[in-house]
Amino acid sequence: MEQNLKLDNSTLSEELKRLPEWKVEDGALIKDFEFKNFIEAFGFMSRVAMIAEKMNHHPSWFNSYKLVKIALFTHSENAITRKDIQLASAIEILK
């Protein structure tokens, strides 16, 4: 299966059942993570960065103190793709 395969609404809905805290917002796959403090949030971002680099698929994200918001979207496909689901699944293992 092509890694960048665009997901239709039905397939995306099925995938989100395995990622229940993730949601689609403004066409991207989004999740907010909250930590005890900035150090834990930054450490989490560092671990995500290492996985993202290995996958060559980089998130858009925002960090403020103990909050990290991650948005996944495949720009080359202008859609949420299988690659976004794979990265979200890998991120879930880290938390």
Side-chain angles (χ1 to χ4, degrees):
M1 182 181 296
E2 174 61 35
Q3 197 171 30
N4 278 343
L5 182 65
K6 291 180 187 180
L7 301 179
D8 60 38
N9 288 338
S10 175
T11 304
L12 181 56
S13 291
E14 285 300 310
E15 293 291 349
L16 286 174
K17 289 178 183 175
R18 289 187 285 265
L19 299 165
E21 295 178 3
W22 290 81
K23 62 187 177 204
V24 176
E25 186 177 290
D26 297 327
L29 196 55
I30 305 282
K31 183 172 178 186
D32 294 334
F33 296 85
E34 189 169 345
F35 299 89
K36 288 186 210 174
N37 55 49
F38 177 74
I39 295 297
E40 285 189 15
F42 191 83
F44 171 74
M45 291 177 70
S46 295
R47 292 189 307 276
V48 170
M50 291 168 51
I51 291 170
E53 186 64 19
K54 285 180 185 175
M55 291 180 69
N56 193 30
H57 190 59
H58 305 94
S60 295
W61 53 16
F62 169 81
N63 167 244
S64 178
Y65 182 51
K66 61 181 184 174
L67 175 68
V68 176
K69 181 174 187 166
I70 296 179
L72 303 176
F73 178 81
T74 304
H75 296 278
S76 63
E77 299 293 329
N78 197 33
I80 296 171
T81 66
R82 177 86 37 216
K83 202 167 190 179
D84 298 303
I85 296 296
Q86 290 169 343
L87 182 52
S89 296
I91 290 168
E92 280 302 301
I93 294 169
L94 295 177
K95 180 69 170 92

